[in-house]
Amino acid sequence: MTSPDRRQVRDLVYQTLAAEGRAPSVAELARRTGTTPADVHHALHDLADAHALVLSDDGDAVRMAHPFSAAPMAFVVTPQDGRDDRRWWGGCAWDAFGISAALRLDVRIDTACPHCATQLSYRAGPGTPPPGDLAVRFPRPADRWWDDVVATCTMIRTFCSRDHAELWTAEHASGEGYIAAATTVWELATPWYGDRLDPQFEPHDREKNQQLLDGVGLTGPFWHLP
Ligand SMILES: [Zn+2]
Ligand SMILES: [Zn+2]
């Protein structure tokens, strides 16, 4: 009995999410890697420990492989090409741009403003920034993102405007979080997520990711990675 290569499992998870918008099951990964479900289970837990993906609460299924989510979340990502039937759940405002960046695809992103519940539908792509009036609120500092990464993503939302993000914050989480322009988050998503589907993908180290945040002007203690 051979252990599946962690890299092979990771790549199959990403390829399946990209192509089909769903995560492969443990049994499917075992078949495709020629190993056993127990071996795949170990590989998935190692990958989760390394933050290469996120498992479900019960630890037996892939929940997220950033920027992809295996379950419905607040963002729906649709290819702009009407002949492309794929759809994805974006875990957060940043992930939705990340899916476009990783797939190098022009997309429409559908969500709702948490403050006023207006349905927002905006376009973005590798060469197309989102509308300049949209704002994205990050709920907690970078060194706490992975305390509960699904909860963190759930709260990284797009608002109609900075004004609405500020009003929401005053009402629900006074003094907490950080409000960025959606264009800044879009700009960050390309270098952060653009290489996730590359065959030669190498996980970024902390220093590299800190540079990417610095590069778009997200600096200061809030953005200090652990
Ligand atoms: Zn609003
Ligand atoms: Zn996210």
Side-chain angles (χ1 to χ4, degrees):
M1 191 162 60
T2 53
S3 271
D5 183 51
R6 270 97 186 109
R7 177 57 187 239
Q8 194 189 0
V9 170
R10 181 259 174 215
D11 287 352
L12 283 168
V13 168
Y14 270 87
Q15 285 162 17
T16 308
L17 278 160
E20 303 175 40
R22 68 176 184 92
S25 70
V26 171
E28 180 181 356
L29 288 166
R31 172 176 55 76
R32 293 179 70 185
T33 55
T35 58
T36 68
D39 290 331
V40 168
H41 195 80
H42 277 295
L44 287 174
H45 279 264
D46 285 349
L47 289 162
D49 288 344
H51 294 178
L53 45 73
V54 183
L55 298 179
S56 64
D57 288 344
D58 293 310
D60 62 345
V62 174
R63 173 68 180 79
M64 297 185 80
H66 287 84
F68 298 102
S69 167
M73 294 179 81
F75 295 80
V76 181
V77 180
T78 302
Q80 277 192 36
D81 177 348
R83 279 180 289 271
D84 188 334
D85 290 341
R86 293 179 295 171
R87 299 290 184 276
W88 300 272
W89 300 108
C92 66
W94 183 10
D95 294 342
F97 294 135
I99 289 169
S100 163
L103 293 163
R104 297 182 176 86
L105 194 67
D106 290 323
V107 300
R108 190 185 77 234
I109 296 167
D110 292 290
T111 188
C113 173
H115 177 67
C116 69
T118 296
Q119 296 290 332
L120 301 174
S121 183
Y122 47 97
R123 291 177 173 228
T128 311
D133 46 349
L134 298 176
V136 173
R137 180 178 177 278
F138 290 80
R140 51 174 72 132
D143 62 2
R144 286 176 38 215
W145 286 345
W146 280 86
D147 290 359
D148 181 346
V149 76
V150 174
T152 299
C153 279
T154 300
M155 293 185 289
I156 301 175
R157 297 288 299 267
T158 301
F159 292 76
C160 317
S161 61
R162 175 171 290 273
D163 216 31
H164 277 198
E166 281 171 0
L167 287 165
W168 187 92
T169 301
E171 196 175 333
H172 299 281
S174 186
E176 288 177 32
Y178 184 103
I179 299 165
T183 48
T184 300
V185 180
W186 168 82
E187 199 185 336
L188 175 65
T190 298
W192 193 283
Y193 284 131
D195 55 358
R196 291 286 163 125
L197 295 168
D198 293 353
Q200 328 79 319
F201 170 75
E202 288 296 333
H204 302 171
D205 59 21
R206 183 197 166 282
E207 199 180 345
K208 156 120 180 167
N209 280 339
Q210 196 72 62
Q211 280 171 6
L212 297 180
L213 292 166
D214 284 352
V216 298
L218 297 173
T219 57
F222 189 93
W223 297 101
H224 191 81
L225 293 166

